[in-house]
Amino acid sequence: MNHLASGEYRPGDSILHSLDSAIKLICFLLLLLAALTTDTPAGYTGMLLFTAALAYLAGLDAKHALSTVRKLWWLIILVLLSNFAFYAPEETFGAWWIFTPSYTGFFKGLSIALRIAVILVLANILSATSSSLKLLGAVETVLSPLRLLNIPVERFLMSLELSARLIPAIHEDAAIIRRCQMSRGVNFAAKGFFNKAETAYPLLLPVLISSF
């Protein structure tokens, strides 16, 4: 299973795998709400410990549970630094140009970064323990009361189903195109922002053309 990408279903017989997908989706939404509203050190500690326990119950090691976090590390760092540099300018300990760093901003950015990381891990656990078809069925179950309000739930579910079927196909095409471009000499391991931007073009353009 090590070759599976983050966000993909990982077959298993854990407690979370056997749990009904609708229940898992509802619990995920409740945990999402808890992560967004937690604002105390004890709350953050409990949230991190509970998320780690869920990853253990799902049979995911740290590498797989944090795979999405590792891919989006730049976003988390950006959120942390932007809050540190601009939040609470009246409490800054040393303004410079447009930057007003403060300890309050640092802790605010750290709290938001922790929330993002926990939400990403929870989403990874949900997708790793539930197949896309079961998740679609869970979404239908959760949204079914909206039919009483004459909301076209079926159209929304059809869009989700098409997206769920299209994303793996795009991922597979991207992997094939990446190998082809590497055989032509494109260095996707190049470091630096501008080098990475330059190597992204020969990958993104063929993927977009093949998708549409």
Side-chain angles (χ1 to χ4, degrees):
M1 295 192 299
N2 293 336
H3 69 282
L4 293 175
S6 59
E8 290 189 3
Y9 173 61
R10 302 173 187 274
D13 55 357
S14 69
I15 297 176
L16 294 185
H17 280 84
S18 59
L19 195 64
D20 183 76
S21 297
I23 296 177
K24 282 188 285 188
L25 181 60
I26 294 173
C27 291
F28 169 76
L29 294 176
L30 293 176
L31 290 173
L32 177 64
L33 180 62
L36 293 175
T37 55
T38 297
D39 200 25
T40 62
Y44 291 126
T45 302
M47 185 171 59
L48 291 173
L49 292 176
F50 189 73
T51 303
L54 288 178
Y56 175 78
L57 292 176
L60 298 179
D61 54 23
K63 178 182 178 182
H64 289 144
L66 297 172
S67 56
T68 309
V69 176
R70 293 203 313 270
K71 289 182 178 180
L72 295 176
W73 64 268
W74 58 271
L75 175 62
I76 296 174
I77 296 297
L78 179 62
V79 168
L80 176 60
L81 293 179
S82 61
N83 278 272
F84 174 62
F86 300 110
Y87 189 81
E90 68 280 358
E91 301 180 20
T92 181
F93 54 77
W96 177 76
W97 193 32
I98 62 173
F99 304 106
T100 55
S102 65
Y103 294 113
T104 302
F106 174 78
F107 288 114
K108 182 65 175 180
L110 183 62
S111 66
I112 297 176
L114 284 175
R115 289 182 182 130
I116 294 175
V118 167
I119 291 172
L120 289 175
V121 173
L122 289 174
N124 208 16
I125 294 173
L126 178 64
S127 60
T129 57
S130 305
S131 65
S132 58
L133 291 178
K134 288 185 177 181
L135 280 179
L136 286 173
V139 173
E140 181 178 8
T141 301
V142 173
L143 296 181
S144 58
L146 295 179
R147 292 193 179 98
L148 300 176
L149 301 176
N150 293 324
I151 296 177
V153 177
E154 291 78 9
R155 294 182 181 179
F156 176 69
L157 292 173
M158 184 177 296
S159 300
L160 282 181
E161 184 175 1
L162 290 174
S163 301
R165 295 179 183 274
L166 183 61
I167 290 174
I170 294 177
H171 184 273
E172 184 177 352
D173 288 344
I176 296 173
I177 292 172
R178 188 174 189 272
R179 289 194 294 267
C180 292
Q181 297 290 32
M182 289 177 63
S183 67
R184 295 187 178 118
V186 178
N187 182 19
F188 289 102
K191 296 183 179 180
F193 176 79
F194 293 103
N195 290 331
K196 288 186 177 295
E198 184 179 356
T199 57
Y201 176 77
L203 176 63
L204 293 178
L205 184 60
V207 170
L208 290 175
I209 292 176
S210 65
S211 300
F212 298 99

